Amino acid sequence: MSAEVPLWEVFIRPRNGLAHKHVGSLHAADEVMALNAARDVYTRRGEGNSIWVVPSASISASDPDQAGENFEPGDKIYRHPTFYEIPDEVGHM
Amino acid sequence: MALFDAVLELADDHLVLGHRLSEWCGHAPMLEEDLALPNMALDLIGTARGLYTYAGALEGAGRDEDDLAYLRGERAYRNLLLCERPNEDFAHTILRQFYFAAFMVPYWSAAARSEDETVRGIAGKAGKEMAYHVRHCGEWVVRLGDGTEESARRMKDAVEALHIYVGEMFEEAASAGIAALPSRAGMRGEWEATVDHVFGLAGLSRPVVPHPQTGGRAGVHGEALGHMLAEMQSVHRAHPGATW
């Protein structure tokens, strides 16, 4: 059955003010059924207060073959904002 | 009739239907439903526990939830015939749950205003759960009824098979004259509105039932309940008082 039913990615917001976070995927015929299934599969223990579901087919992913040029910036340490003296008066940043 | 008898009827409805749903665990058509059906079963069994415990306290004879659930025979069970009907296929199971939940939503909503504090407590929790059962099962009724040729046929067969048990839900039975519980007959309007809305989307219609089936409240059950209770009660009867 699952071969005929589309796949959905599920995102849960654990608390107000936090971002929705990817928690997994499931099969469902449409978005209403996907939201119901997400409630049953992923929020049984009070994990959150909001659910998003997105058709997995709508997600564009980066190519693992491009991981080198994408994710390995090398020793460009100047990209980290660690060369500034922050005055104490600024407080927590 | 006493409040004890009326609470026991409600408890039996929930335990029997909960056990029926639990039979799907590991057998549902897809993983998502394999979690959803036992989730709903646990909602029902949880409500049954609260009701049995309260019934035991009302009776005052020292019987606890386990005594009431596991040590009564078929004729002593007072559940609706609808609740004991076998699972058959997914369409039967979903429709049975939809019919029951569509009744319990307005029932618990009314019971939440009961003069009885324990009834109010149980109603508050169970009402929210039943609202989800209506939504979940209602969506499936629409999709099966308005789905493929096969799913539509199975859904129609389920309506044909189960609708004869609907009338029994609205019998007052032991709750007649009990002020702490809502009138069951009074739920008919809201039940029909819920069912008609979903059936409209599903392309189904409520059949006319010339010979409605009843008797569960008097302990006159179909053959299916005895088999179910034998399995459900076997561990407790083999190991009386066992705890884990």
Side-chain angles (χ1 to χ4, degrees), chain B residues 3-15 43-59 63-65 68 100 104 107-108 111 118-123 126 181:
Chain B
L3 181 57
F4 164 75
D5 299 291
V7 171
L8 195 62
E9 287 179 353
L10 275 175
D12 287 348
D13 288 348
H14 285 76
L15 180 63
D43 289 344
L44 295 170
I45 292 167
T47 300
R49 291 189 61 184
L51 291 165
Y52 280 132
T53 300
Y54 187 40
L58 288 167
E59 187 188 37
R63 288 202 281 182
D64 66 8
E65 52 174 331
L68 289 168
F100 182 76
M104 291 313 300
Y107 185 88
W108 288 132
T118 308
V119 169
R120 283 201 305 274
I122 293 171
L181 294 171

Side-chain angles (χ1 to χ4, degrees), chain B residues 129-157:
Chain B
E129 294 169 349
M130 283 298 132
Y132 179 70
H133 293 206
V134 167
R135 207 172 88 210
H136 185 96
C137 297
E139 298 290 357
W140 269 117
V141 170
V142 171
R143 282 158 184 79
L144 295 173
D146 189 31
T148 65
E149 203 175 301
E150 184 188 356
S151 74
R153 174 179 57 76
R154 286 175 180 263
M155 204 64 235
K156 278 198 180 68
D157 289 349

Side-chain angles (χ1 to χ4, degrees), chain B residues 168-193:
Chain B
E168 193 182 25
M169 281 195 292
F170 304 105
E171 292 176 3
E172 302 294 356
S175 58
I178 302 286
L181 294 171
S183 156
R184 299 184 64 89
M187 304 302 145
R188 190 180 278 276
E190 204 164 327
W191 185 88
E192 289 180 350

Side-chain angles (χ1 to χ4, degrees), chain A residues 28-67:
Chain A
D30 53 46
E31 67 275 14
V32 174
M33 300 302 269
L35 282 168
N36 280 353
R39 179 261 191 204
D40 288 320
V41 177
Y42 292 109
T43 68
R44 294 191 302 163
R45 301 175 188 89
E47 284 90 341
N49 60 15
S50 172
I51 303 171
W52 286 352
V53 290
V54 178
S56 303
S58 298
I59 292 182
S60 305
S62 60
D63 184 345
D65 289 342
Q66 297 171 343

